[in-house]
Amino acid sequence: MYIHWFRRDLRLHDNPALLEALRAGQGHVVPLFILDDVVLRAPRTGAARTAFMLDSLAALDRALHERGSRLVLRRGPPLDVLRDVAEESGARGVCWNRDYTPFARERDARAEALLRARGLDVRTFADAVIIEPGEVLTGAGTPYTVYTPYRRSWRRRVEERRATIMSEQTLPAFAPPPDELRGDPVPAPADLGITLAQSLPPGGEEAGLARLRSFARERIGGYEHDRDLPAVPGTSRLSPYLRFGCVAPAAALRTALHALDALTPEGSGNEESDRPSQPTTHDSQRKTQDSVETWISELAWRDFYYQILTAFPHVLRSAFRPKYDSVQWENDESLFSAWCEGRTGYPIVDAAMRQMRQEAWMHNRARMIVASFLCKDLLVDWRRGERYFMQMLVDGDHASNNGGWQWAAGTGTDAQPYFRIFNPVSQGQKFDPRGEYVRRYIPELARVPDRHIHAPWAMSSEEQRRAGVRIGRDYPEPVVDHATQRERALALYRGATGS
């Protein structure tokens, strides 16, 4: 009997630690999940993410029941629960997939020491990333801190492991845990005191794989262009499923590699339903290939930020580049509240923030825009925005969220330089030219003409009357002037860097 400790791998397939537990235990496995109050009550833990996790756990329990097993769910300190379940089940060992946050690494080290001291076998595996932190290093043997050379090395390593990545292993049969081994039912959000106002996608492996297949079949070929248009369903929206391991990163990569193989005459043996539509010209084939590679590069970004977090754990609390810790942020509370609530008077910013409040998700281009706006227009510390995102997003991930915020603030690795400041009006005009995204989330601007949709304050009184909106009453005036704030932001950064 072996225990498989589920954490960020809420699925049965493509799960290396679960597969090893089944092999080592000859099918006799205790599928364990531990609800840890330290995590549930952490300031960065959001209602949407917890609710999605619970839905994914319920789906996992159903999948286990279909195989004659069940999820053993316990609530309590992980080390105590692991000790108790090992004693009650007579397990000989425990398997789990590694996690990389400082909290998880410290917890797992203590768990491993405790279990080994009690004579149990402990086996851990790479799963949450495609290439583990520390596997791709510079020629000097140090972690990469610039993404582009990292991606090149990462991509070469992927090709070296292609045969392994492309293989799908069949799960052995499950034997049920002992009947006397207690497990609690998966709680509903309300059972944990969670009131959720946001609408969420369904959790679980089946829902995640269906989304992945749909994206590969219908949208991956246009990803390179469509991914920047928040009004267009051009992204995979797979991030919550990757965050909780409902879909393995390796499975996502395998799907993309199948799509690349399908573009070549020798590509064969792939399921038709997982292929993008076959291109009819060389140019369209090149476009599809570039789009697939661009999507693969997003998986590389994810791994990159994990290796940064592992090698430089201070990034969770401070700037990757320490000189930026001395930026004298103004942190105006009224401006921060306006940003959180989507009432800054800049439509592309407000639409994005309202999307997050409604759906617990935000388009990636919009994330860049609102992050830049908070730091460089409102002059609010990027850490406040990073924390708010973690509280609100269903896909909130410490490594990726931190990396994205430090990129936007100009404080991190491979960062957007501090002197490059997004103009929220021109960003809206470029990526939402017809205002479809804005109108979807700001219905009070529904009748504003396209030419004014990203700067509605520029309308005359008569134009506002015809559009059925009065700026300053029905929709706010801009809370700041972008041109003025741009100069103030540059002064703040120069003061910190001496440049």
Side-chain angles (χ1 to χ4, degrees), residues 339-362:
W339 179 82
C340 291
E341 296 166 11
R343 50 179 182 83
T344 68
Y346 286 92
I348 192 68
V349 173
D350 294 342
M353 298 303 293
R354 294 186 193 189
Q355 179 183 30
M356 183 167 66
R357 291 170 71 88
Q358 293 173 29
E359 302 173 11
W361 186 85
M362 187 191 296

Side-chain angles (χ1 to χ4, degrees), residues 16 96-100 105 124-137 143-144 150 154 157-158 161 302-308 310-311:
W96 66 73
N97 292 310
R98 292 188 281 273
D99 199 353
Y100 306 99
R105 293 167 66 195
T124 70
F125 298 84
D127 174 70
V129 293
I130 294 164
I131 306 296
E132 276 207 294
E135 287 193 70
V136 175
L137 299 172
Y144 282 99
Y150 171 85
W154 182 93
R157 188 64 60 90
V158 164
R161 298 183 181 179
R302 189 173 176 276
D303 281 11
F304 175 70
Y305 282 141
Y306 267 103
Q307 65 102 31
I308 290 295
T310 302

Side-chain angles (χ1 to χ4, degrees), residues 111-390:
E112 183 169 356
L114 170 72
L115 294 169
R116 290 193 185 281
R118 300 178 73 86
L120 276 77
D121 178 29
V122 176
R123 307 180 190 185
T124 70
F125 298 84
D127 174 70
V129 293
I130 294 164
I131 306 296
E132 276 207 294
E135 287 193 70
V136 175
L137 299 172
T138 68
T142 59
Y144 282 99
T145 59
V146 177
Y147 170 72
T148 300
Y150 171 85
R151 178 182 54 79
R152 286 195 293 263
S153 295
W154 182 93
R155 193 66 177 86
R156 286 193 296 269
R157 188 64 60 90
V158 164
E159 287 303 316
E160 291 169 3
R161 298 183 181 179
R162 177 183 269 261
T164 301
I165 292 167
M166 299 301 274
S167 65
E168 299 183 54
Q169 296 176 309
T170 303
L171 280 175
F174 282 73
D179 291 339
E180 63 273 16
L181 188 63
R182 177 184 61 82
D184 300 328
V186 177
D191 297 332
L192 300 181
I194 293 172
T195 301
L196 187 67
Q198 297 159 302
S199 59
L200 303 180
E205 181 178 19
E206 184 178 351
L209 290 175
R211 190 174 290 265
L212 175 61
R213 287 191 294 265
S214 174
F215 173 69
R217 182 176 60 248
E218 300 169 8
R219 296 191 299 279
I220 197 170
Y223 179 78
E224 185 173 33
H225 173 263
D226 293 346
R227 68 185 179 129
D228 272 326
L229 306 176
V232 173
T235 64
S236 69
R237 293 196 71 157
L238 201 64
S239 51
Y241 301 96
L242 291 171
R243 165 63 179 83
F244 285 99
C246 303
V247 172
L253 177 59
R254 182 189 308 129
T255 298
L257 294 175
H258 276 311
L260 288 178
D261 290 345
L263 297 174
T264 61
E266 62 273 16
S268 61
N270 302 319
E271 291 295 329
E272 186 65 31
S273 61
D274 290 347
R275 298 183 185 182
S277 300
Q278 289 294 325
T280 56
T281 67
H282 177 76
D283 287 345
S284 62
Q285 180 170 328
R286 171 58 63 182
K287 175 184 174 183
T288 299
Q289 182 175 343
D290 289 347
S291 287
V292 175
E293 285 289 357
T294 299
W295 194 67
I296 290 173
S297 75
E298 294 302 313
L299 297 174
W301 268 112
R302 189 173 176 276
D303 281 11
F304 175 70
Y305 282 141
Y306 267 103
Q307 65 102 31
I308 290 295
L309 177 59
T310 302
F312 307 99
H314 74 274
V315 297
L316 283 183
R317 295 179 177 84
S318 56
F320 175 79
R321 303 172 191 271
K323 64 183 178 182
Y324 290 112
D325 284 332
S326 60
V327 173
Q328 298 300 301
W329 305 104
E330 294 186 357
N331 291 324
D332 185 295
E333 291 297 334
S334 64
L335 294 180
F336 182 66
S337 295
W339 179 82
C340 291
E341 296 166 11
R343 50 179 182 83
T344 68
Y346 286 92
I348 192 68
V349 173
D350 294 342
M353 298 303 293
R354 294 186 193 189
Q355 179 183 30
M356 183 167 66
R357 291 170 71 88
Q358 293 173 29
E359 302 173 11
W361 186 85
M362 187 191 296
H363 190 279
N364 189 58
R365 170 56 59 176
R367 296 186 197 205
M368 290 188 266
I369 293 170
V370 302
S372 176
F373 186 82
L374 181 71
C375 303
K376 298 176 180 179
D377 281 78
L378 302 186
L379 311 181
V380 172
D381 191 330
W382 62 269
R383 284 165 287 207
R384 300 194 66 183
E386 180 208 33
R387 185 178 196 179
Y388 186 68
F389 267 33
M390 286 298 295

Side-chain angles (χ1 to χ4, degrees), residues 39-119:
V39 175
L40 290 174
R41 295 171 181 170
R44 290 170 177 262
T45 298
R49 205 156 57 254
T50 301
F52 184 87
M53 178 191 72
L54 295 176
D55 197 31
S56 299
L57 285 170
L60 177 62
D61 190 34
R62 291 193 297 271
L64 285 165
H65 271 90
E66 290 173 1
R67 290 178 171 265
S69 186
R70 61 186 171 92
L71 183 66
V72 176
L73 186 143
R74 298 275 183 98
R75 185 172 180 178
L79 272 64
D80 293 348
V81 173
L82 285 167
R83 179 198 61 220
D84 293 346
V85 172
E87 289 179 354
E88 294 168 27
S89 65
R92 295 187 295 109
V94 183
C95 297
W96 66 73
N97 292 310
R98 292 188 281 273
D99 199 353
Y100 306 99
T101 65
F103 169 83
R105 293 167 66 195
E106 192 273 335
R107 174 201 62 197
D108 293 352
R110 288 190 292 115
E112 183 169 356
L114 170 72
L115 294 169
R116 290 193 185 281
R118 300 178 73 86

Side-chain angles (χ1 to χ4, degrees), residues 387-436:
R387 185 178 196 179
Y388 186 68
F389 267 33
M390 286 298 295
Q391 292 167 340
M392 296 295 291
L393 288 169
V394 68
D395 62 359
D397 176 283
H398 289 288
S400 296
N401 188 56
N402 181 275
W405 271 94
Q406 295 225 37
W407 181 90
T411 62
T413 66
D414 229 41
Q416 173 88 338
Y418 77 80
F419 50 82
R420 292 183 183 167
I421 299 176
F422 283 178
N423 182 318
V425 175
S426 60
Q427 286 285 305
Q429 292 168 340
K430 181 176 181 180
F431 297 111
D432 187 33
R434 297 178 60 187
E436 297 168 276

Side-chain angles (χ1 to χ4, degrees), residues 431-450:
F431 297 111
D432 187 33
R434 297 178 60 187
E436 297 168 276
Y437 180 70
V438 164
R439 293 186 183 91
R440 184 180 304 161
Y441 295 101
I442 311 179
E444 56 266 44
L445 299 181
R447 292 165 52 193
V448 172
D450 291 358

